[in-house]
Amino acid sequence: MKQHALTLFELNSLVGEVIDTAFDHAYWVEAELSEAREVRGHCYMELVQKDIFSATPVARASAKCWKSTWMRLKPKFEHTTGQALHAGMKVLLLVTANFHAAYGFSWIVQDIDPTYTLGDMARKRMEIIKQLKAEGVFDLQKELSIPMFAQRVAVISSENAAGYGDFCHQLLDNEYGFAFHIRLFPAVMQGDQVEASVIRALNAVYDEADDYDVVVIIRGGGATADMSGFDTLALAENVANFPLPIITGIGHDRDESILDMVSNTRVKTPTAAAAFLVDNLVGVWSHIDGLRERIAGSLRQRMDREKSRLARVADRIPILFSLVRQRQEAKIDRALNSIVTSVKERMAQARHHVAILENNIQPLIERKMTKEQNRLEQLRLRARALDPQRLLKRGYSITLYNGKALHDPALLQEGDRIETRVEKGTLESIIHKA
């Protein structure tokens, strides 16, 4: 005989009773978050345990922290760790088992130990720092120098962040009137997209690296706890290897992020980053002003020495000038006499040459005129001999086709009109070929 069948609700209720009986107290459990999200004040987590060799998940579970508990645990956790719960984070949770007939099994979070997560975060940070140092890139940015005139600034920040507005205001409205040229390369500055977004912005700056003196990565207005994106190996490697000096001001007062460690200069806030750039120019201006004072002092000393030397020379000038004047006057007199004599000789030679030319040019002109008149007369006679009218008087005729003399009858077609000019007039004909 078949056993009496249970409804699904009855079966699940039995499972719930077994779980409540078997798991009658809370358990501390170590796990990694594969997902963490807040919905209407409750925190929903997906837990995973990975194989230590292959990173393949060997266990999965869902956990929930109800609003009444989460509102108490969240501030404590974020204050201690400096970060919000996010995927990839290791956590130590105090949980109780719960099986709901309608929603299935889940662990209910009663407490969370932030010191466990803090220790794991510190371990990961040390591993990243160790790898950067092994690659020889950890201190590369420190070897770059901030240019003296660092005025072309590439900014990586969220476009709507209050910190970006504060940075621009502080930099552009500085009390010294220094001019800065700012261009924003937008990036996501909190959440899971920080790493990829900032790297994309760095690549965009790199493509135009010759147009900028420094890069500033700033963040303002976001949650202090949401800083995990600045502690990644990929982002640190990109910053460490970047060819321009990078200044960070991401507002992380409590601890220094790995991004801060590998950057050229780290300041606390966006406004501090702007102040740093302004102070850099102030230092340059002070240095230039000091050099100007030194140059001016050196010039004054040189001028004083030259004045003394000129005074000594001036005392000797009257005697020297008298001797030089006598010598120069005698030299000028000799030169003047020589010039006058030379000019007179050249004028006499020129007058003689002109007289010879006058005597020789007249016969040449007359012979040339006679020759040209004879040539013109010959041309006139030839023109008369070639006059077509004279040929017509002698009985010849000229046949024209389209206004031009016709030389070849084969060029004519049936119906073409031609003109025949004779001495007394013109005849028109139409060609007809038999």
Side-chain angles (χ1 to χ4, degrees), residues 23-319:
F23 299 92
D24 58 350
H25 62 278
Y27 301 87
W28 284 102
V29 60
E30 298 176 352
E32 179 181 327
L33 292 174
S34 64
E35 183 180 348
R37 65 187 188 280
E38 286 189 44
V39 179
R40 293 189 293 275
H42 309 297
C43 184
Y44 295 87
M45 310 174 199
E46 295 296 326
L47 308 179
V48 65
Q49 180 181 341
K50 296 179 181 177
D51 182 84
I52 59 175
F53 300 106
S54 64
T56 302
V58 295
R60 293 180 182 275
S62 296
K64 302 180 180 70
C65 187
W66 303 125
K67 181 177 181 180
S68 58
T69 304
W70 181 238
M71 291 298 100
R72 173 176 53 85
L73 298 181
K74 177 181 177 181
K76 178 184 175 182
F77 181 85
E78 293 183 352
H79 175 75
T80 302
T81 64
Q83 295 191 22
L85 283 180
H86 59 82
M89 180 177 280
K90 293 287 186 67
V91 291
L92 180 60
L93 306 174
L94 181 64
V95 297
T96 56
N98 176 263
F99 188 89
H100 193 281
Y103 302 110
F105 179 83
S106 63
W107 294 103
I108 306 302
V109 178
Q110 305 295 337
D111 199 359
I112 182 169
D113 185 357
T115 58
Y116 174 86
T117 302
L118 191 63
D120 183 69
M121 288 165 52
R123 178 186 59 78
K124 288 182 178 178
R125 282 164 55 92
M126 291 305 298
E127 289 177 354
I128 292 174
I129 292 170
K130 183 178 179 181
Q131 182 168 345
L132 291 171
K133 289 182 176 180
E135 294 173 0
V137 301
F138 188 80
D139 294 317
L140 283 182
Q141 271 282 314
K142 301 296 190 296
E143 297 174 5
L144 300 177
S145 299
I146 302 292
M148 293 180 65
F149 297 95
Q151 296 171 277
R152 302 175 302 166
V153 185
V155 180
I156 297 177
S157 180
S158 173
E159 185 173 7
N160 299 319
Y164 173 63
D166 294 340
F167 174 83
C168 293
H169 175 73
Q170 179 95 355
L171 201 61
L172 299 178
D173 296 337
N174 65 86
E175 60 180 305
Y176 304 96
F178 295 141
F180 289 90
H181 305 283
I182 303 171
R183 180 179 171 187
L184 174 67
F185 290 81
V188 176
M189 302 305 286
Q190 60 183 18
D192 297 336
Q193 301 179 45
V194 169
E195 177 187 84
S197 182
V198 173
I199 290 175
R200 282 196 299 272
L202 284 170
N203 290 337
V205 177
Y206 180 83
D207 291 339
E208 305 175 22
D210 292 340
D211 296 336
Y212 303 101
D213 302 312
V214 293
V215 178
V216 176
I217 301 177
I218 53 177
R219 173 185 183 273
T224 304
D226 199 0
M227 299 293 293
S228 59
F230 300 101
D231 279 334
T232 69
L233 177 62
L235 180 55
E237 288 175 333
N238 273 267
V239 169
N241 287 285
F242 206 75
L244 296 177
I246 293 180
I247 302 168
T248 56
I250 56 178
H252 197 199
D253 293 333
R254 224 176 54 80
D255 291 309
E256 197 175 28
S257 69
I258 295 177
L259 181 66
D260 292 323
M261 294 179 186
V262 299
S263 66
N264 179 277
T265 303
R266 182 249 178 164
V267 295
K268 289 185 177 181
T269 62
T271 53
F276 174 82
L277 291 173
V278 173
D279 290 343
N280 180 66
L281 279 187
V282 170
V284 172
W285 178 258
S286 298
H287 180 66
I288 293 173
D289 195 52
L291 293 176
R292 182 184 61 81
E293 288 295 333
R294 288 176 58 186
I295 292 172
S298 298
L299 287 175
R300 284 193 294 268
Q301 293 177 2
R302 183 63 181 271
M303 290 295 292
D304 291 340
R305 289 197 299 269
E306 291 301 319
K307 286 180 181 178
S308 299
R309 189 178 68 84
L310 288 173
R312 293 192 299 271
V313 171
D315 293 337
R316 298 176 57 193
I317 285 177
I319 298 174

